[in-house]
Amino acid sequence: MTYEFILSEKKGRVGLITLNRPKQMNALNAKVMQEMAAALYAFDADEGVGCILITGNDKAFAAGADIAAMKDYSYMDAYKSDYITRDWEHLRKIRKPVIAAVAGYALGGGCELTMMCDLAIAAENAKFGQPEINLGIMPGSGGTQRLPRFTSKAIAMDLCLTARMLDAQEALRAGLVSRVVPVDTLMEQALAMAEKIAGYSLPVVMMIKESINRAYETSLAEGVLFERRVFHSQFALEDQKEGMAAFVEKRKPTFKHR
Ligand code: DAK
């Protein structure tokens, strides 16, 4: 399938989505989000894909929602059409891990998109921020909720109230990204990370994602109970038998993803 504003391709067991509106710094309009959702669901349904990677270009992961597209909206336009939300929430329904590989700007909706992914790897030139206050609005796609959970209240207040940007090292220290790499190695390292994940047992990978995400939705006791129930269920997997047998027999496991 070909898209207007994204590129979608398979690299081995990795599904790669590249935001492709370079002249607009990958600003996110409704069509971008619809296309991204279609590509995400296609990869999620594809047995041959074990991990999904979303990236932009060297200058911008995404500089936010498309300001030109929304500038004339009225309250009723936004409310009645459930503006943006409808197309943005698809990402949270994807069951395979989604990695954000971020170079350049990840601002506003771009930063929120990063946080909706399961993990993020940043190039040294990455910049993260929620500068909506400059536009006379506030973050609208989880920025005020995910940022304090993933970093801290102080950092979330700082970014949302002053429009200050975090550089890649600050984002690493704050817990927003898990790795920082040189710009020219971002895709190589992000793909290596995605391929590594995609090489493991797919149901186990999906259960880990589900369990970690639970930590943000529930109490510790409930989360630990959820983890235990899922953990016990893994003794029903062929991949558990194979993984443990391979360890005992001192060989590499061959996972069948079931
Ligand atoms: N939208 C539209 N166009 C954008 C854009 C954006 N967010 N960001 C950049 N561009 C365009 C610029 O207008 C310019 O276009 P031309 O003039 O060449 O036609 C081109 O990209 C290059 O930008 P600059 O000339 O400004 O490049 P610089 O290197 O000087 O600066 C910059 C790069 C990223 C620092 C700057 O462009 C900038 O500040 N951009 C705006 C960043 C921003 O404010 N982002 C937040 C947008 S509001 C919701 C979900 C999400 C949202 C809301 C609700 N719901 C679920 C309800 C999200 C809201 C937002 O993200």
Side-chain angles (χ1 to χ4, degrees):
M1 180 152 178
T2 51
Y3 299 102
E4 188 180 354
F5 294 136
I6 66 164
L7 304 172
S8 170
E9 60 188 304
K10 261 167 76 170
K11 295 207 175 253
R13 283 182 55 75
V14 178
L16 174 63
I17 297 172
T18 306
L19 299 170
N20 192 29
R21 288 188 84 202
K23 287 192 184 137
Q24 293 82 18
M25 296 263 172
N26 288 333
L28 304 163
N29 63 19
K31 184 100 189 273
V32 176
M33 300 313 289
Q34 283 157 11
E35 291 186 351
M36 192 190 302
L40 284 166
Y41 283 127
F43 286 143
D44 215 30
D46 186 336
E47 276 284 326
V49 169
C51 188
I52 301 167
L53 192 56
I54 300 179
T55 195
N57 57 51
D58 283 1
K59 287 205 181 102
F61 176 71
D66 192 321
I67 299 166
M70 66 180 159
K71 71 179 183 27
D72 294 326
Y73 261 57
S74 69
Y75 167 66
M76 267 305 125
D77 293 332
Y79 181 77
K80 278 192 187 160
S81 67
D82 202 10
Y83 175 57
I84 299 188
T85 308
R86 207 181 35 227
D87 301 318
W88 282 64
E89 294 301 316
H90 296 296
L91 182 51
R92 293 310 307 156
K93 296 191 185 122
I94 300 304
R95 298 180 71 207
K96 292 171 185 170
V98 183
I99 301 173
V102 179
Y105 295 107
L107 303 179
C111 187
E112 291 167 318
L113 185 64
T114 305
M115 291 189 284
M116 289 171 88
C117 293
D118 298 302
L119 72 156
I121 174 170
E124 278 164 350
N125 73 342
K127 287 198 180 300
F128 299 86
Q130 299 288 162
E132 288 91 339
I133 198 161
N134 285 332
L135 304 169
I137 56 167
M138 62 185 278
S141 196
T144 65
Q145 302 305 302
R146 292 196 177 94
L147 205 49
R149 281 175 169 82
F150 296 171
T151 63
S152 69
K153 177 184 166 190
I155 289 173
M157 289 283 186
D158 189 354
L159 265 55
C160 294
L161 291 176
T162 73
R164 182 171 89 81
M165 295 180 203
L166 293 184
D167 66 27
Q169 289 300 337
E170 287 177 301
L172 182 66
R173 284 197 298 277
L176 202 53
V177 305
S178 68
R179 305 181 195 185
V180 175
V181 301
V183 184
D184 56 356
T185 70
L186 175 67
M187 284 319 290
E188 184 190 319
Q189 299 212 40
L191 275 166
M193 185 194 226
E195 273 161 19
K196 176 134 187 130
I197 293 168
Y200 291 119
S201 168
L202 180 57
V204 174
V205 162
M206 290 166 65
M207 288 174 193
I208 290 172
K209 164 173 171 156
E210 199 178 4
S211 298
I212 292 179
N213 283 335
R214 246 325 138 101
Y216 291 96
E217 313 283 349
T218 191
S219 69
L220 180 59
E222 285 301 315
V224 169
L225 181 61
F226 180 84
E227 180 195 73
R228 189 172 315 132
R229 291 287 168 263
V230 176
F231 173 74
H232 286 160
S233 76
Q234 293 184 341
F235 288 90
L237 293 174
E238 285 181 33
D239 286 342
Q240 174 270 328
K241 299 285 173 291
E242 167 64 7
M244 293 194 180
F247 178 82
V248 170
E249 292 159 21
K250 301 193 187 303
R251 61 174 173 82
K252 280 190 91 170
T254 306
F255 293 124
K256 292 185 183 150
H257 309 294
R258 55 179 187 244

